[in-house]
Amino acid sequence: MPPRINIPPVTRICLIVLLVQSVLSAAIRYRQWTANSEIVIPYLNLIPQLSLVYPWTFLTTTLVESNIFTLSIAGFTLYHGGRYLERAWSGRELAKFLLIVSLVPNALVFATTIFFFALTRNEGWTLMTIAGTIPIQISFLVAFSQLVPAHTVTLFRGILSLRVPRFPLLYIGLVTLFCLTPMLTAASFLLAIYGLIVSWTYLRFYKPVFPDLDASQPAHLRGDASETFAFAQFFPGPVRPLASSISDHVFNVLVAMRLCTPFSAADVSAARGDHHHHNFAQRGVPGSARAEAERRRALALKALDQRLHAATANAAARASNAPPPPAVVPPIPSATGPTVQSQPQAGAQKTMTVQSGGEILGETSYNPDGDDHK
């Protein structure tokens, strides 16, 4: 019997949609292919000049790949990354995350192409196809940077070792190289940049920490104020101070525009594991792996405590509504068999009566401590 492949529901749906839409796109392009024209599918892919009448393409275009190479990478990423995150977060939270990192980067790239068209009057910007799982792939790398920031991946049999937070920038570098070939376009580069920013912003400031707990519990924590998930951590050590300074200025602008809310002192203290408040720039300083492990252990214990509290409350509610236990009926004595009854008497003596069928056959008294009988 072949082994059963266990794929969580949200990941399974994404893989099916990716395969169906990519095959459909390939079939349409194959049927309409001509040597001197480029096939565009405005009702499946997002094309700024043609897709305004097909608003669903802002979402569906993310799960469309144009060649077998990118389709294989997308399937591999969704299968492994989606399974891991769905089990770590929950299917609902993963679905929300995929919706955000798909819709928002596509809309930002759409606006960027319109802006460049307005500047250059080059119609190629508005006829550019915006499609592919690039924002999902880089958002998964950002999520892994949050979950396992101290993990090191060894490549090429130990020749190269990289910490997980280094992979988003490495991925952007690879996308930039492929954009120089006919395989990818400038839209792919923009999708990678916006995917990194949008996914980090959501995980940093908005994602609930405990989305699967009982809704009757107090308001849950949101975001991740830990030092290991600061934006500057994606950059190498020499350029990290510059990246931290730029991110601070951008953050202050977003706060002034009321697009972001700064962390409270309690959030920062809980994330750092101490009781000192630091500003946004100081949160970019790398923390120790031990402090990060202690922080995550404390959050896990808090989640466990709330789950136990909710389970206890539910059990108490079910017990209060449970029916009373059935009454115990004593057994009926035999009508013919002899029974023996022992009755206590005053003092140390006891009386034993022997009866059969309702007729008393005899009665005797005895002393438990002695040998005399009557």
Side-chain angles (χ1 to χ4, degrees), residues 23 69 85-86 107 111 151 199 208 260 293 299 309:
V23 171
F69 177 72
L85 293 179
E86 188 165 355
H151 186 69
S199 59
C260 283
L299 293 178
H309 178 77

Side-chain angles (χ1 to χ4, degrees), residues 5 37 63 106 121 132 137 218-220 247 263 276 283 289 293 295 305 318 326 354:
I5 301 177
S37 64
L63 294 177
N106 289 336
R121 295 299 174 179
Q137 294 175 27
H220 306 311
S247 64
F263 291 115
H276 301 286
R283 288 202 298 272
R295 182 187 73 86
D305 180 70
R318 288 194 298 268
V354 181

Side-chain angles (χ1 to χ4, degrees), residues 207-369:
K207 180 183 175 297
V209 177
F210 308 123
D212 57 339
L213 296 180
D214 188 2
S216 63
Q217 299 300 318
H220 306 311
L221 297 175
R222 288 184 177 272
D224 187 348
S226 63
E227 299 170 350
T228 56
F229 196 54
F231 191 78
Q233 295 300 311
F234 295 120
F235 296 86
V239 298
R240 192 172 299 161
L242 177 62
S244 178
S245 177
I246 295 175
S247 64
D248 291 344
H249 289 296
V250 173
F251 176 76
N252 292 332
V253 171
L254 294 178
V255 170
M257 297 173 61
R258 296 185 178 181
L259 297 178
C260 283
T261 303
F263 291 115
S264 64
D267 294 334
V268 177
S269 298
R272 290 176 56 89
D274 54 33
H275 302 283
H276 301 286
H277 176 65
H278 293 264
N279 58 24
F280 186 78
Q282 289 173 325
R283 288 202 298 272
V285 180
S288 65
R290 183 185 299 274
E292 178 66 15
E294 291 296 332
R295 182 187 73 86
R296 296 190 181 278
R297 187 178 296 109
L299 293 178
L301 290 174
K302 181 177 179 180
L304 179 61
D305 180 70
Q306 293 186 4
R307 285 173 177 166
L308 292 175
H309 178 77
T312 304
N314 293 335
R318 288 194 298 268
S320 62
N321 298 328
V328 179
V329 180
I332 300 175
S334 173
T336 58
T339 59
V340 178
Q341 297 179 354
S342 178
Q343 301 176 358
Q345 300 292 333
Q349 292 186 343
K350 291 186 178 181
T351 303
M352 181 166 52
T353 303
V354 181
Q355 60 182 1
S356 177
E359 180 182 358
I360 299 177
L361 302 179
E363 186 176 273
T364 180
S365 299
Y366 70 98
N367 188 342
D369 300 327

Side-chain angles (χ1 to χ4, degrees), residues 46-58:
L46 179 60
I47 302 169
Q49 191 178 120
L50 306 175
S51 297
L52 286 177
V53 294
Y54 309 111
W56 59 83
T57 56
F58 280 88

Side-chain angles (χ1 to χ4, degrees), residues 42-330:
Y43 49 85
L44 194 60
N45 293 329
L46 179 60
I47 302 169
Q49 191 178 120
L50 306 175
S51 297
L52 286 177
V53 294
Y54 309 111
W56 59 83
T57 56
F58 280 88
L59 186 60
T60 60
T61 190
T62 303
L63 294 177
V64 179
E65 293 293 349
S66 58
N67 59 76
I68 189 63
F69 177 72
T70 56
L71 177 61
S72 301
I73 295 177
F76 180 85
T77 304
L78 274 176
Y79 176 73
H80 292 283
R83 288 177 64 196
Y84 184 90
L85 293 179
E86 188 165 355
R87 289 165 178 169
W89 290 346
S90 75
R92 180 180 179 182
E93 184 58 35
L94 176 62
K96 187 197 307 183
F97 181 69
L98 292 176
L99 180 65
I100 292 173
V101 301
S102 299
L103 188 61
V104 177
N106 289 336
L108 292 175
V109 175
F110 179 90
T112 303
T113 57
I114 297 298
F115 173 76
F116 280 116
F117 169 73
L119 287 180
T120 63
R121 295 299 174 179
N122 182 1
E123 200 175 31
W125 286 105
T126 58
L127 292 176
M128 184 179 299
T129 300
I130 304 172
T133 58
I134 287 178
I136 292 180
Q137 294 175 27
I138 196 168
S139 67
F140 281 0
L141 294 176
V142 174
F144 294 149
S145 300
Q146 180 196 30
L147 295 175
V148 285
H151 186 69
T152 301
V153 178
T154 302
L155 303 174
F156 308 114
R157 297 184 178 181
I159 298 178
L160 180 63
S161 296
L162 294 174
R163 291 177 56 240
V164 173
R166 300 291 180 268
F167 280 93
L169 285 187
L170 179 62
Y171 180 83
I172 291 178
L174 293 176
V175 170
T176 304
L177 292 178
F178 280 110
C179 286
L180 302 178
T181 68
M183 188 173 296
L184 297 178
T185 64
S188 301
F189 173 76
L190 295 175
L191 285 173
I193 296 296
Y194 289 136
L196 169 64
I197 296 174
V198 170
S199 59
W200 177 82
T201 301
Y202 173 72
L203 295 176
R204 180 72 166 177
F205 300 105
Y206 300 106
K207 180 183 175 297
V209 177
F210 308 123
D212 57 339
L213 296 180
D214 188 2
S216 63
Q217 299 300 318
H220 306 311
L221 297 175
R222 288 184 177 272
D224 187 348
S226 63
E227 299 170 350
T228 56
F229 196 54
F231 191 78
Q233 295 300 311
F234 295 120
F235 296 86
V239 298
R240 192 172 299 161
L242 177 62
S244 178
S245 177
I246 295 175
S247 64
D248 291 344
H249 289 296
V250 173
F251 176 76
N252 292 332
V253 171
L254 294 178
V255 170
M257 297 173 61
R258 296 185 178 181
L259 297 178
C260 283
T261 303
F263 291 115
S264 64
D267 294 334
V268 177
S269 298
R272 290 176 56 89
D274 54 33
H275 302 283
H276 301 286
H277 176 65
H278 293 264
N279 58 24
F280 186 78
Q282 289 173 325
R283 288 202 298 272
V285 180
S288 65
R290 183 185 299 274
E292 178 66 15
E294 291 296 332
R295 182 187 73 86
R296 296 190 181 278
R297 187 178 296 109
L299 293 178
L301 290 174
K302 181 177 179 180
L304 179 61
D305 180 70
Q306 293 186 4
R307 285 173 177 166
L308 292 175
H309 178 77
T312 304
N314 293 335
R318 288 194 298 268
S320 62
N321 298 328
V328 179
V329 180

